[in-house]
Amino acid sequence: MNTKRSRRDFLKTTLGATALIGFPTIIPASALGKNGTVAPSNRVTVAVIGCGDRSKSCWAYKNYDKAEILAVCDPFAKRRIERAKEWGVQDHYEDFRDVLARDDIDAVHIVTQDHWHVPISLAAARAGKDVYCEKPLGLTIEEDLTAREIVDKYGRVFQYGTQQRSTQVCRMPIELVLNGHIGEVKEIVVWAPGGATGGNATPAPIPEGLNYDLWLGPAPDAPYTHDRVEGKGCWFCYDYAIGFIAGWGAHPLDQLQWWADAENRGIPVEYRGKGNIPTGGLFDTINSWDVESAYADGLKMRFMDTGTVRGPNSPVDLDKFGAADAGNCTLFMGTEGWVWVSRGVFKTSSDALRRKAKDPGDIRLPVSKQHMANFVDCVLTREQPVSSLESGIKSDIISQMGDICIRTGETVSWDPVKETVVGSDQAVSMMHRPMRAPWTL
């Protein structure tokens, strides 16, 4: 595949030749994009890696003139064939390495199970591809920190899949907080949907058309079961994820981190918590949690699952904040008011405060109207996307620290200078997991 001529080289050669022999270099509008304004040589070519349900959102590339999907990839033959047919894409692959070998693909959109996110992102960056990676980021803190190579060493554009940053309704309330409209922030509460219990662990035959060894990749060898692979196992088996404390928590924690980044605040440095780890079934990620944390200056942030924050022992009066129906939320409480933001909605402590959201002040966050379009634009301009990798690393480490403090039963600390967990040997060791050969970071 490396010997194939790229589409851009083909266009340069062809157009140059037609000019030399006297043919008019008029290109029909149909060749310039959906609205006749974007030449193929100025489009970003994308390969989608992972063809499950979440990949359906990648249809956005089909609706954007500056993007073109050239290939799809999935170890499930049925999934990749169906997606290729749906999108009118000719090329589909079982192995992501075959995609990365193509020199005519500019960027990849990674929609795999969590434990593949960072390994494929790193491989793509090393192959010269820009990366859009769905959340959460790493399976471990080590993976999070290693992911920096994507930008720092290989100079790639990276968009993290926290798409709420590309909505006005999530940007405006954070700008209210940044511009001081709730006074000094005194406390923050974040919550997200909890996980699942159960899961059938009975081994079953590997379905025809699935490369199960590739699906497992760096994860430990384990027998195939439907719930492990095609059910909820990719979310709630600890071999592949740390659960919704990261998988769903990524969204409200990202809203928190957007604010924290603008404040140059970093992440909390101390964590203690409790939670439930299911037993007796296949699923073994934390399915409910209550983590108390504090920033270096003492500001407290509490992170819970939705069931806990709605429960009888909740530390938050949800009715007071009009947040009883918020399934995920980032709540900022200040000396002069409060603001909370969730997917598609935000509320404030007064109507007067809400009216200020249209013109909050001088401190403004980057504006993006569509997350994948923002990624494509940044691939072309080499600018920073709205959801940066560095911000994704920070918010994901918050989830990882919550998982570590619950599983160890310790109060653990984060050293932001050395970028390491401070605690027992067990807590520190959880920053890393071995990878099944031949896979490495």
Side-chain angles (χ1 to χ4, degrees), residues 189-248:
V189 179
V190 177
W191 64 90
T197 61
N200 189 342
T202 304
I206 298 172
E208 184 179 354
L210 167 63
N211 184 333
Y212 181 53
D213 184 70
L214 187 58
W215 187 96
L216 285 172
D221 197 12
Y224 170 87
T225 77
H226 177 274
D227 286 356
R228 180 189 303 279
V229 179
E230 298 176 75
K232 298 178 180 179
C234 59
W235 294 337
F236 303 126
C237 287
Y238 201 59
D239 283 345
Y240 322 119
I242 67 168
F244 272 7
I245 195 170
W248 241 112

Side-chain angles (χ1 to χ4, degrees), residues 240-382:
Y240 322 119
I242 67 168
F244 272 7
I245 195 170
W248 241 112
H251 287 301
L253 287 175
D254 180 69
Q255 303 300 289
L256 167 68
Q257 199 58 44
W258 210 7
W259 165 80
D261 289 342
E263 291 272 307
N264 294 314
R265 181 173 284 275
I267 66 172
V269 296
E270 186 175 274
Y271 301 78
R272 66 177 181 273
K274 56 186 178 181
N276 182 65
I277 302 173
T279 59
L282 181 68
F283 304 151
D284 56 355
T285 59
I286 294 168
N287 71 314
S288 63
W289 64 90
D290 184 356
V291 176
E292 298 178 66
S293 65
Y295 289 88
D297 64 356
L299 175 65
K300 297 185 183 303
M301 191 278 286
R302 195 155 183 172
F303 179 32
M304 292 171 280
D305 70 284
T306 305
T308 297
V309 81
R310 289 176 176 172
N313 299 317
S314 173
V316 183
D317 183 353
L318 295 183
D319 291 334
K320 172 184 175 181
F321 300 104
D325 295 329
N328 72 99
C329 188
T330 309
L331 168 63
F332 298 91
M333 292 173 274
T335 55
E336 299 175 25
W338 53 262
V339 167
W340 64 256
V341 56
S342 182
R343 177 168 291 185
V345 62
F346 75 92
K347 290 189 178 181
T348 60
S349 50
S350 69
D351 290 339
L353 176 57
R354 186 179 182 88
R355 286 193 291 271
K356 294 178 181 178
K358 292 184 177 180
D359 187 16
D362 293 335
I363 303 174
R364 296 299 182 97
L365 295 169
V367 175
S368 165
K369 295 181 179 180
Q370 210 286 331
H371 215 54
M372 294 176 204
N374 175 253
F375 171 58
V376 169
D377 290 346
C378 289
V379 169
L380 293 169
T381 64
R382 314 312 294 173

Side-chain angles (χ1 to χ4, degrees), residues 2 9 29 34 40 69 98 141 146 148 173 188 216 234-235 324 343 379 390 394 400 410 424-425 434 436:
N2 285 325
D9 290 340
K34 301 173 186 65
I69 300 176
D98 292 332
I141 291 175
T146 305
R148 279 208 187 101
I188 302 167
L216 285 172
C234 59
W235 294 337
R343 177 168 291 185
V379 169
E390 188 60 35
K394 289 185 172 71
Q400 298 284 347
E410 299 177 36
S424 67
D425 289 345
R436 190 172 66 110

Side-chain angles (χ1 to χ4, degrees), residues 105-125:
I105 289 176
D106 302 316
V108 295
H109 188 121
I110 299 169
V111 209
T112 62
Q113 59 273 29
D114 296 358
H115 77 282
W116 265 123
H117 283 180
V118 168
I120 295 179
S121 293
L122 287 166

